[in-house]
Amino acid sequence: MLPPTVAPDAKLDNPWHPFKDQLAFDWAHYHFIELQSSESKINKGLDLWLVATLKAGSKTPLPWSSAQEVYQTIDTIQEGDAPFKTIYIKYGGTLPDNPPAWMMQTYELCTWDSRILLHHQLATTDFVDGFSTKPFCRFNHKGKHVWSDLLSADWTWEEADTIAKDKAMHGSMLVPVIAGSDKMTVSVATGHQEYHPVYQSPGNISNIAR
């Protein structure tokens, strides 16, 4: 996803990096974010841009020659110190006579460093009103024990007791990690691609805040 329409780090020689200049940034933002143009429409837009440039007598090449190059530039945007890493996965076993399509395809696994990402999530002040630093018990108006958020579970009390046995760990905080996965199909600008995102969250955040 593109960052807000403000210049990135001005300390760089090119404050619009990884885009060539402000025009390239604005053009990509307009098509990818505002219009959510399909790949074919981005290609057509580039063709019209090229024609207009040539008609004006300019020999300056466009920053991209295809929508795929636009996507590649967007994918190189780096925000923060947890860069995306892409791992390519393909079936490596023995193929049957008529292998199914999934055995022949190469899949992309795009991932962040989970530990660095967790540090960022814990430092986010947006969760300050829905964050627990230690296990707790919750009771309803009838005085009955209610289990809701993760840190209200019996398991967290047991883990906290285990940690407390080590004097070197006194003052530390239990941070369980919750992960979940789902499938989504994105048809705009990506050509009907399926994604299986894995979501991560520290268990200290309340269900409502999450």
Side-chain angles (χ1 to χ4, degrees):
M1 180 177 292
L2 288 172
T5 51
V6 295
D9 191 354
K11 295 180 181 179
L12 299 173
D13 293 336
N14 174 16
W16 300 99
H17 179 80
F19 298 89
K20 182 179 180 181
D21 49 31
Q22 182 177 355
L23 175 59
F25 173 84
D26 289 341
W27 196 93
H29 188 278
Y30 178 67
H31 278 279
F32 194 78
I33 298 298
E34 296 183 32
L35 294 184
Q36 297 187 5
S37 302
S38 65
E39 181 174 355
S40 61
K41 289 184 178 179
I42 290 178
N43 284 328
K44 184 175 182 179
L46 289 171
D47 290 341
L48 294 174
W49 187 1
L50 178 60
V51 171
T53 300
L54 295 175
K55 189 174 181 179
S58 174
K59 296 183 179 180
T60 303
L62 300 187
W64 311 286
S65 61
S66 67
Q68 287 299 320
E69 291 185 3
V70 176
Y71 299 152
Q72 289 172 7
T73 299
I74 293 172
D75 288 343
T76 60
I77 294 174
Q78 174 57 41
E79 182 70 20
D81 58 352
F84 265 114
K85 293 183 179 179
T86 302
I87 302 171
Y88 297 94
I89 303 172
K90 186 176 182 180
Y91 177 75
T94 303
L95 294 174
D97 293 336
N98 295 304
W102 67 266
M103 286 188 175
M104 307 300 295
Q105 294 177 352
T106 299
Y107 299 91
E108 291 185 7
L109 173 62
C110 300
T111 179
W112 269 321
D113 185 308
S114 182
R115 185 169 178 269
I116 295 177
L117 182 60
L118 190 63
H119 286 177
H120 287 315
Q121 291 174 325
L122 291 172
T124 302
T125 57
D126 292 344
F127 301 136
V128 66
D129 294 327
F131 191 91
S132 300
T133 58
K134 56 184 180 294
F136 62 89
C137 291
R138 178 172 290 154
F139 301 90
N140 62 17
H141 66 284
K142 295 182 179 180
K144 291 186 177 181
H145 195 175
V146 177
W147 291 271
S148 53
D149 301 322
L150 182 58
L151 259 66
S152 70
D154 292 340
W155 171 83
T156 58
W157 286 93
E158 296 170 359
E159 289 298 310
D161 288 342
T162 300
I163 293 173
K165 293 178 182 178
D166 185 350
K167 292 184 178 180
M169 299 298 291
H170 287 186
S172 60
M173 181 176 66
L174 172 65
V175 183
V177 178
I178 297 175
S181 181
D182 195 5
K183 183 184 81 169
M184 63 171 60
T185 301
V186 182
S187 57
V188 177
T190 60
H192 199 71
Q193 295 291 319
E194 284 188 0
Y195 294 87
H196 299 264
V198 177
Y199 304 96
Q200 171 186 296
S201 167
N204 309 70
I205 299 175
S206 69
N207 293 342
I208 295 176
R210 186 178 301 107

